[in-house]
Amino acid sequence: MTDYPLRGGVCVNGLPVAGIYHAGQRIGLTHDGALLVPSGKNLLNYGVAQVGHMIASVIDDGGLRVAATAPMNSWIGFRWKADVAPELHEGDKLTLSLEDGDTLNGICFQVFFYDAAGKMLQRATFTKDNITSLKSLTVPAGAMTYDTCVFTYGKLSESTTSILHPQLELGDKRTCWEPPEKLRGGGGSG
């Protein structure tokens, strides 16, 4: 018996299966359009969080719903931290994307790379004006952590809700969206 709610997937001996491998590569498994076993390609993590009148919650498909109650000042938001190792290495090519139809109403979505001293080495940003663009990144030298971030980018005078499906994956092209690894098998950390 698990001490967390399972959000779908396949279990072996009561444990959620993290992925399926074919020819040494981790692959996903779907049936009738439903994701049964993820491929593990989404390197982001996020979870439920609240700062003042801004609340992030995970929706049924593993996406992120961000609700902000006006009035709210600029640059208020959330950060979720992940270690670069062992998944990434200096020089790895990455693609950051959002799903078609995602909304950024008064907020921006960012990914930052930091060194051991907390100095920002690189960032990629989505705003309402460039949501359809893909962002190409290269893991910088000395990167130790990367943050998933959601911020207000202007003072909000009206309440707003945004639905996001962000994905950071290895390689120079976008593939279909999957929930982040931290959300598979029962919840992410904020």
Side-chain angles (χ1 to χ4, degrees):
M1 186 76 177
T2 62
D3 59 352
Y4 51 80
L6 290 177
R7 290 199 170 106
V10 174
C11 291
V12 174
N13 294 329
L15 297 174
V17 176
I20 292 177
Y21 289 80
H22 175 73
Q25 298 293 315
R26 193 168 174 185
I27 62 170
L29 177 65
T30 59
H31 178 68
D32 291 336
L35 183 67
L36 300 177
V37 178
S39 70
K41 64 189 166 211
N42 194 348
L43 301 173
L44 295 179
N45 86 44
Y46 52 73
V48 176
Q50 180 170 356
V51 172
H53 297 289
M54 182 182 273
I55 300 171
S57 54
V58 178
I59 58 179
D60 289 346
D61 66 0
L64 190 64
R65 178 183 182 272
V66 181
T69 303
M72 186 171 282
N73 291 326
S74 299
W75 310 117
I76 295 175
F78 311 107
R79 292 173 54 180
W80 296 274
K81 189 175 297 248
D83 291 331
V84 168
E87 299 169 314
L88 300 174
H89 303 91
E90 178 184 337
D92 281 348
K93 304 292 184 191
L94 302 172
T95 299
L96 177 66
S97 63
L98 294 175
E99 279 292 281
D100 294 337
D102 280 1
T103 57
L104 283 166
N105 299 322
I107 66 167
C108 63
F109 177 84
Q110 298 178 311
V111 170
F112 292 89
F113 282 86
Y114 294 97
D115 67 12
K119 177 184 173 191
M120 185 193 54
L121 301 173
Q122 184 178 25
R123 81 170 171 216
T125 303
F126 284 108
T127 66
K128 184 177 181 179
D129 298 328
N130 69 3
I131 191 170
T132 57
S133 302
L134 301 180
K135 308 293 181 181
S136 295
L137 302 165
T138 301
V139 177
M144 299 298 291
T145 61
Y146 59 102
D147 288 358
T148 302
C149 307
V150 179
F151 292 100
T152 57
Y153 64 86
K155 187 171 183 176
L156 296 180
S157 57
E158 295 183 15
S159 297
T160 182
T161 299
S162 297
I163 303 294
L164 306 173
H165 297 84
Q167 180 156 291
L168 181 69
E169 54 191 317
L170 283 168
D172 57 1
K173 62 183 177 183
R174 175 185 176 185
T175 59
C176 61
W177 185 83
E178 286 187 350
E181 186 70 33
K182 295 283 186 183
L183 298 177
R184 298 184 192 131
S189 59

